[in-house]
Amino acid sequence: MKRRTFTSVVVGLSLAASMMGTTAIAQDNMRIALVVKALGIGFFEAAAEGAEEAAGELGNVEIIYTGPTDTTAEGQIEVINSLIAQGVDAIAISANDPDAVVPALKKAMDRGITVISWDSGVAEGGRQMHLNPSSTDLIGNTIIKLAADHMPDGGDVAILSASATATNQNAWIEAAEGFLPNYEGVNLVATVYGDDLSDKSYREAQGLMASHPNLKAIIAPTTVGILASCQAVTDAGKIGEINVTGLGLPSEMAGCVDSGATKSFAIWNPIDLGYSATMLAHAIASGAEAAPGAEIPMGRMGSVTLDDTNSAAMSDPFTYDSSNIDQFKSIF
């Protein structure tokens, strides 16, 4: 038996758990907390579906899906402390800041709680392993190629990222910059940050168009940013002039592809990512060693082998366009 517990329940139970001990809550279940950057983001809601799938396969696993209301380290620290008070068995976190959450996560590990990061990583001292959704280099090359493929004569591109401290975003952008020389005539003119907030990302996209009149593409390696950029380009009447690409969800981006605002975009399957993170957290909490060279199973996703930083990659990104978007838009 399993159930998903949301933030309002998580916070409310923390005091009871600290007073009565963890046996008061689902004592026969392993409780795995899936801590996301912020609630209300489609990517993470899809990841939660995968976590529930994994819990169903494993049996006797309860998923606590939680996160702050905005993308701040302070909000995640509050959530982590609440989970420590409850005495959960494992925490799997997509971090808003790689360093700020480390002390709270160290405290969790000191209490015997398994801690892994996934999607957006935590510094090595604050987790036992990290699961990247894909290889950093593959993602970096992909997001530049998605723009370059529709710019035969080159041109100016800009990046609209999430927060300036997002581990994964920064690594992908650095990799993308390294691949730029492979695409002749493609010029990166700006990188801006929307903090994974729809309204701020929309304004940043507007600012890019105003500041760079020759802009040919906006690359957003964030599901919030790519959708907001699509809306900004559409509202500005620049469909066909500026291509919006990056990493997005098929369910959210289908309209952008249909309108022509987006020629193509990429993403891994967030359902698979939540599933894999849960499987890994369960394996380590059950005694699997998290050490360089260790191979850890991920159920239907196979297994991963940890590198020298106790990190691993799940799978390659997949490109979506008008030829296949209808197959996936109802899935995630």
Side-chain angles (χ1 to χ4, degrees):
M1 180 178 179
K2 58 184 175 62
R3 58 188 174 87
R4 186 189 303 174
T5 308
F6 289 88
T7 299
S8 58
V9 179
V10 170
V11 175
L13 287 175
S14 61
L15 178 59
S18 64
M19 293 173 61
M20 298 182 292
T22 60
T23 57
I25 306 171
Q27 63 178 13
D28 295 329
N29 288 354
M30 177 183 288
R31 293 179 298 156
I32 300 175
L34 195 72
V35 180
V36 299
K37 291 182 179 181
L39 298 175
I41 295 176
F43 179 90
F44 292 119
E45 291 173 353
E49 291 182 30
E52 293 286 9
E53 179 191 345
E57 290 183 15
L58 291 165
N60 294 322
V61 170
E62 176 188 351
I63 299 300
I64 301 173
Y65 175 66
T66 185
T69 56
D70 54 12
T71 54
T72 64
E74 292 78 11
Q76 285 191 319
I77 290 168
E78 183 179 350
V79 169
I80 293 164
N81 286 333
S82 175
L83 293 169
I84 293 171
Q86 293 179 66
V88 298
D89 299 287
I91 293 172
I93 182 171
S94 176
N96 285 321
D97 185 295
D99 301 309
V101 295
V102 167
L105 292 173
K106 280 185 174 180
K107 180 180 176 183
M109 290 188 288
D110 288 343
R111 302 287 179 89
I113 298 171
T114 292
V115 175
I116 73 166
S117 56
W118 58 283
D119 180 48
S120 186
V122 170
E124 289 182 52
R127 45 78 172 171
Q128 289 160 270
M129 72 156 288
H130 173 64
L131 179 68
N132 289 301
S134 184
S135 157
T136 295
D137 282 346
L138 284 173
I139 297 167
N141 184 56
T142 294
I143 60 177
I144 291 295
K145 186 176 185 298
L146 287 168
D149 282 349
H150 301 283
M151 297 168 54
D153 299 320
D156 293 345
V157 303
I159 293 175
L160 195 163
S161 186
S163 69
T165 58
T167 316
N168 54 350
Q169 304 280 316
N170 290 338
W172 300 336
I173 292 168
E174 183 179 358
E177 291 170 344
F179 283 107
L180 268 174
N182 296 342
Y183 300 97
E184 187 175 356
V186 177
N187 306 308
L188 179 61
V189 296
T191 298
V192 297
Y193 302 93
D195 292 337
D196 265 349
L197 299 172
S198 296
D199 56 348
K200 184 176 181 182
S201 296
Y202 182 90
R203 293 193 300 272
E204 292 290 350
Q206 288 180 313
L208 287 172
M209 289 186 286
S211 300
H212 304 281
N214 296 320
L215 196 64
K216 298 297 183 185
I218 296 176
I219 302 168
T222 155
T223 60
V224 175
I226 192 174
L227 188 60
S229 297
C230 170
Q231 189 62 56
V233 166
T234 300
D235 291 348
K238 292 186 178 294
I239 292 178
E241 297 178 39
I242 299 176
N243 176 35
V244 176
T245 189
L247 305 177
L249 296 176
S251 59
E252 295 180 344
M253 292 301 295
C256 298
V257 172
D258 290 343
S259 73
T262 293
K263 302 296 185 185
S264 60
F265 66 97
I267 197 70
W268 37 91
N269 189 327
I271 295 173
D272 290 346
L273 190 55
Y275 173 95
S276 299
T278 301
M279 285 291 185
L280 291 168
H282 181 272
I284 296 171
S286 299
E289 182 182 18
E295 184 175 346
I296 306 177
M298 299 189 300
R300 62 172 172 78
M301 295 300 293
S303 62
V304 292
T305 300
L306 302 185
D307 65 15
D308 290 342
T309 67
N310 275 11
S311 300
M314 184 185 72
S315 63
D316 294 345
F318 182 82
T319 297
Y320 302 85
D321 55 27
S322 60
S323 71
N324 59 23
I325 189 68
D326 288 341
Q327 296 174 241
F328 296 97
K329 66 182 182 181
S330 63
I331 299 175
F332 66 95

